[in-house]
Amino acid sequence: MTHEQAQELLADFALGLLDSGEHAAVQAHVQDCGECRADLQEFLRAGEALAIAPLEAELPFGAAERIAAGVRARLDPPRPQGLPSNVIVGPWRNIALGAAAGVFLLAVGLTAVTIAWLDARDEADRLEGQLAARAIELPLSGEGVSGTVYVASNFAGGVARFTGLAEAPAQHHYQLWSEGPYGAKSAADFTGSNGELLVQLPELPKEMTRMFVTLEPDGATGAAPTGPEVLSTPR
Amino acid sequence: MGYTETSTTFDHNVDKILTMPVQASPFQRFRAGEHSAFDQFVAEYTGPAYATALQVLKVPARAEEAVQDAFVRLWQRAGQFDPDRGNERSWVLAIVRNSAIDALRKQGRTFERSIDDAPSVYALRDPDDVWQRVLEGLTSTDVRAALQQLPAEQQEIVLKVYYEGKRPVEVARELGIAEGTVRSRLRLALGKLREALGPVREDLEP
């Protein structure tokens, strides 16, 4: 590639627009040509500025959670063995089986069929890993208000969705707790809304056996629930 | 709206830019081995990543998919980012854009190669502390304002080539102009943008 040809293509190169042959040729030329390398810097800088200015676009409802869950599912390696016994324990067994029985049976059946047909342990492990990556759905109920907690089956996070939860009274807020052998641990606090509300949850304890929401006075330490329960998963 | 030679230099507060405290971002913490910071990184970039992908792909569901692909690439390739040679936000969103363009070209069956070459292009970026600090202080509003000051025909080329991921030859066909004209307008546009967005270099150098 001549110097003049490279000069013509520097902007395209900086923005990643060239096909592989031209890209490689420009790259080779730039590495040996001080003038082109200097000129390239300006185009690279402009490209860096363009990258930070996409047009505004509102995320569709639930997109952030779907993207996060999709990325997490693709990054978590499939479990080499069967489902771990501590994923669904105690009351969770009933809840999770109740909520996802169809999916569970279908997947187990599919796994068994796959094993029978392919006699391939790795395929079975892959399917079991996919099953394990599903979220567990937990209903929350209270007087005139309802909600659902979706917990990743590895407990790495979740989302709580509330319908009809009125705004907390002045100087109060809601607090979502998990409960288990460790006692009660705060998972999130929020003020409520008259419509639908989504609350993103952090990593949750695997030993938890229940989740519930209390109305807390502002300034409460958050170390333990002090106010009345307004919503709870089944005990 | 026309471009004038004497127009834009943005009012960067140079002292503020050069003395800004540097806090470790979730991406930096992830690169340093704190894997739990990746979720925060994803949450931080999901909005701009989605906007970037949607501009290329136009369809929300496909944009979401491309963003997922991009985050997986970023997990795998975070180690290739050299903070001395590139701005984190630009690098991350360039990967997202490339991921979206890959998806676009696969759909159009004109896919020739992955354009996931941001790392190799950025490797040719010379360290430039001043520009790094300028980028950290730039907002998308600044960049859009600078774009709007370009001549309309140059704005159009930048929009189609950069933000919509079209090849110069496709843009030339679409606009009924020569491919060389597309390329020359692009070069002019990038030069003017860089000039408009950068502070006066003499003001920054000691």
Side-chain angles (χ1 to χ4, degrees):
Chain A
M1 175 168 284
T2 67
H3 176 71
E4 289 69 28
Q5 288 170 325
Q7 282 277 318
E8 285 286 308
L9 296 175
L10 279 180
D12 302 54
F13 175 76
L15 301 186
L17 300 172
L18 299 177
D19 67 33
S20 53
E22 285 177 321
H23 183 89
V26 173
Q27 188 166 10
H29 177 83
V30 168
Q31 278 164 344
D32 294 331
C33 174
E35 185 185 341
C36 282
R37 181 152 182 150
D39 291 345
L40 176 65
Q41 303 308 310
E42 295 303 297
F43 295 135
L44 285 174
R45 290 178 187 126
E48 285 180 297
L50 288 174
I52 65 174
L55 294 177
E56 300 285 347
E58 193 175 337
L59 276 169
F61 180 78
E65 291 76 17
R66 284 194 297 276
I67 289 169
V71 171
R72 178 55 54 202
R74 288 171 61 179
L75 293 177
D76 277 345
R79 299 175 199 285
Q81 300 301 321
L83 290 173
S85 60
N86 63 343
V87 168
I88 302 174
V89 294
W92 287 101
R93 182 179 300 280
N94 294 333
I95 297 164
L97 285 179
V103 171
F104 181 85
L105 292 172
L106 182 64
V108 169
L110 184 58
T111 303
V113 168
T114 304
I115 291 170
W117 274 85
L118 302 177
D119 192 27
R121 285 298 307 175
D122 57 346
E123 181 65 4
D125 289 342
R126 188 181 69 77
L127 288 171
E128 286 182 350
Q130 286 179 357
L131 176 60
R134 288 180 189 279
I136 299 168
E137 185 177 339
L138 303 164
L140 284 160
S141 60
E143 284 204 14
V145 57
S146 62
T148 309
V149 181
Y150 302 92
V151 183
S153 64
N154 60 5
F155 291 76
V159 179
R161 182 179 184 174
F162 301 98
T163 305
L165 189 61
E167 288 222 13
Q171 300 182 328
H172 284 72
H173 62 272
Y174 295 106
Q175 197 133 11
L176 177 64
W177 307 84
S178 68
E179 186 182 66
Y182 50 85
K185 185 177 176 187
S186 175
D189 58 51
F190 49 95
T191 56
S193 102
N194 288 319
E196 190 168 69
L197 176 69
L198 279 179
V199 179
Q200 190 158 5
L201 306 180
E203 185 172 359
L204 296 164
K206 289 182 179 174
E207 307 85 343
M208 71 178 184
T209 54
R210 185 172 78 101
M211 295 198 82
F212 61 98
V213 176
T214 58
L215 183 63
E216 297 288 331
D218 290 345
T221 63
T226 61
E229 279 191 24
V230 292
L231 283 155
S232 174
T233 57
R235 290 175 185 269
Chain B
M1 185 179 303
Y3 173 83
T4 60
E5 290 297 331
T6 56
S7 64
T8 318
T9 49
F10 282 87
D11 182 22
H12 298 289
N13 183 331
V14 174
D15 289 337
K16 185 178 169 190
I17 288 173
L18 290 177
T19 57
M20 271 194 294
V22 179
Q23 290 182 327
S25 67
F27 187 61
Q28 287 171 309
R29 284 165 34 222
F30 171 70
R31 292 184 65 250
E34 189 187 331
H35 280 192
S36 61
F38 194 75
D39 288 342
Q40 276 178 272
F41 164 68
V42 169
E44 178 186 352
Y45 276 100
T46 292
Y50 175 78
T52 299
L54 186 65
Q55 268 189 299
V56 174
L57 292 165
K58 314 293 184 199
V59 179
R62 299 193 64 225
E64 282 186 34
E65 201 173 315
V67 170
Q68 283 188 24
D69 288 344
F71 279 129
V72 172
R73 286 185 190 186
L74 284 158
W75 168 281
Q76 294 163 339
R77 295 168 200 189
Q80 295 175 8
F81 174 65
D82 180 349
D84 291 334
R85 292 179 185 274
N87 170 267
E88 173 192 311
R89 193 166 37 145
S90 298
W91 193 82
V92 167
L93 294 178
I95 299 268
V96 174
R97 170 178 167 268
N98 289 357
S99 181
I101 293 176
D102 270 0
L104 180 75
R105 293 185 182 175
K106 279 176 187 167
Q107 178 194 29
R109 297 184 181 179
T110 56
F111 178 71
E112 292 162 2
R113 69 184 174 106
S114 167
I115 64 156
D116 191 13
D117 49 26
S120 71
V121 171
Y122 273 73
L124 291 166
R125 160 96 136 68
D126 292 335
D128 183 342
D129 290 345
V130 172
W131 181 247
Q132 291 280 77
R133 292 303 178 104
V134 167
L135 277 177
E136 285 163 19
L138 269 185
T139 65
S140 54
T141 307
D142 294 334
V143 179
R144 279 188 218 121
L147 274 171
Q148 283 175 357
Q149 289 174 21
L150 295 175
E153 68 271 15
Q154 291 176 18
Q155 283 183 42
E156 186 176 39
I157 298 295
V158 171
L159 185 71
K160 289 181 183 300
V161 165
Y162 187 82
Y163 289 113
E164 296 182 5
K166 292 177 179 168
R167 291 188 178 87
V169 66
E170 293 171 314
V171 176
R173 203 178 300 131
E174 189 179 322
L175 299 180
I177 57 178
E179 187 180 344
T181 306
V182 174
R183 291 186 196 278
S184 65
R185 286 181 186 171
L186 181 64
R187 281 198 304 277
L188 285 170
L190 294 186
K192 286 174 182 170
L193 269 178
R194 165 66 186 89
E195 192 179 319
L197 290 168
V200 179
R201 181 161 291 269
E202 290 72 24
D203 289 349
L204 290 167
E205 288 174 349

